[in-house]
C-alpha cells in the first residue's frame, strides 16, 4: 500500500515536471533570431543553448513517467485480480430498473 502511494506521488510530480519542461522549451523557429548575434554563445549552457539540456531532461522525465505508469499498472492489476478472477465471474448488475420491482 505504501509502495503504490510513493509511486503515485512520483508519477504526479514527474507529470508536472514534464508539463513545465515542455512549456519552457521553445520551438525550432525561435532559433532564427539568435542567428543574428544575440550572444547565445555566452550563456551558461554553452553555444548549443539550453535546448539540448532541456530536451534530454524531458526525455528522461518521460522515461520515468512510463516506468511509473507501468509499475502502477502492475501493482494495481495485482490488487484487482485478488478480488475477481474474471469479468465473467463478477456479479451482473443493471442500471435499468426492473419493471416488476416497481409494482
Amino acid at each position: 500500500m505504501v509502495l503504490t502511494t510513493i509511486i503515485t506521488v512520483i508519477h504526479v510530480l514527474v507529470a508536472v515536471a514534464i508539463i513545465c519542461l515542455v512549456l519552457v522549451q521553445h520551438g525550432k523557429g525561435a532559433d532564427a533570431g539568435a542567428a543574428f548575434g544575440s550572444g547565445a554563445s555566452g550563456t551558461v549552457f554553452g553555444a548549443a543553448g539550453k535546448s539540448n539540456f532541456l530536451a534530454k531532461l524531458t526525455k528522461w522525465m518521460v522515461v520515468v513517467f512510463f516506468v511509473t505508469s507501468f509499475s502502477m499498472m502492475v501493482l494495481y492489476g495485482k490488487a484487482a485480480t485478488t478480488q475477481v478472477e474474471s469479468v465473467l465471474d463478477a456479479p451482473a448488475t443493471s442500471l435499468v430498473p426492473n419493471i416488476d420491482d416497481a409494482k
Side-chain angles (χ1 to χ4, degrees):
M1 186 69 174
V2 175
L3 182 63
T4 56
T5 305
I6 292 171
I7 292 175
T8 304
V9 168
I10 291 171
H11 188 73
V12 170
L13 292 175
V14 168
V16 171
I18 289 172
I19 291 169
C20 293
L21 283 171
V22 168
L23 290 176
V24 167
Q25 294 180 31
H26 53 78
K28 298 288 183 185
D31 290 335
F36 296 106
S38 66
S41 62
T43 62
V44 175
F45 294 105
K50 62 182 179 180
S51 63
N52 287 337
F53 172 74
L54 291 177
K56 288 179 184 179
L57 186 61
T58 305
K59 176 183 71 171
W60 285 109
M61 287 291 177
V62 169
V63 168
V64 171
F65 183 81
F66 281 125
V67 167
T68 56
S69 297
F70 184 74
S71 60
M72 283 194 308
M73 178 194 67
V74 170
L75 291 174
Y76 287 124
K78 286 181 182 179
T81 56
T82 58
Q83 297 170 0
V84 178
E85 290 295 322
S86 173
V87 176
L88 299 174
D89 295 338
T93 58
S94 176
L95 298 176
V96 180
N98 193 354
I99 296 175
D100 295 331
D101 293 338
K103 293 180 183 179

